[in-house]
């Protein structure tokens, strides 16, 4: 796993991916700022998490790095807020959001709402009075229903991003 601390993640993340070549390691970004475009694009470019300097403690960074190494999406509160601000309720063709939400059970929707707000499995379990295993089972069901394979894709889809992130090593065109 790679923790990339940088000022310009949209230029530095593609360079890191290119330098990694065929190796596909999770990348956790730690940046001084977060705006909607920056966070969304970084996740689409394959970052597994986005943390804002000063937004988290060293203990929270350790927990985020461990979670990211296990494949979990990690967002600091500021990054989560930036991501949510960029999502308008009326994305895509009429009815897409409703169809997405209706594909899930009420409990799965609760789990996704908390996941998209930046909560991890343990915190979701505490808030919903569920065990970690039960939360993971709900997430597995959600992934299957939405045709995705990871939390980052689930959060982006849930919040209205049109494309799931790619995890390839190539830089974006342009």
């Amino acid at each position: 796993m790679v923790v990339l601390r940088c000022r310009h993640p949209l230029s530095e993340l593609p360079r890191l991916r290119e330098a990694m070549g065929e190796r596909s390691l999770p990348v956790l970004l730690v940046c001084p700022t977060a705006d909607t475009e920056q966070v969304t694009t970084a996740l689409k470019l394959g970052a597994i998490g986005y943390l804002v300097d000063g937004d988290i403690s060293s203990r929270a960074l350790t927990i985020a790095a461990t979670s990211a190494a296990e494949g979990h999406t990690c967002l600091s509160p500021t990054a989560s807020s930036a991501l949510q601000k960029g999502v308008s309720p009326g994305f895509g063709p009429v009815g897409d959001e409703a169809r997405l939400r209706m594909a899930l059970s009420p409990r799965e929707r609760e789990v996704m709402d908390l996941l998209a707000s930046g909560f991890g499995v343990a915190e979701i379990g505490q808030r919903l009075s569920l065990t970690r295993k039960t939360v993971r089972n709900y997430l597995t069901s959600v992934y299957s229903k939405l045709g995705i394979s990871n939390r980052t894709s689930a959060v982006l889809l849930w919040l209205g991003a049109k494309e799931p992130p790619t995890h390839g090593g190539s830089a974006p065109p342009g």
Side-chain angles (χ1 to χ4, degrees), residues 51-133:
L51 308 175
V52 178
D53 273 334
D55 208 14
I56 58 167
S57 66
S58 58
R59 179 165 158 49
L61 176 60
T62 302
I63 292 168
T66 302
S67 294
E70 294 172 354
H72 306 299
T73 301
C74 301
L75 297 171
S76 69
T78 301
S80 180
S81 293
L83 188 60
Q84 289 176 335
K85 285 178 188 171
V87 178
S88 63
F91 76 93
V94 176
D96 278 358
E97 184 177 11
R99 278 194 293 276
L100 171 70
R101 291 184 178 275
M102 293 310 296
L104 305 181
S105 72
R107 187 59 116 180
E108 289 167 340
R109 290 192 295 267
E110 288 179 305
V111 169
M112 282 306 303
D113 285 338
L114 291 171
L115 186 69
S117 294
F119 292 97
V121 170
E123 294 89 359
I124 292 170
Q126 287 174 345
R127 287 185 176 251
L128 299 179
S129 299
L130 301 171
T131 66
R132 289 179 182 185
K133 182 171 174 46

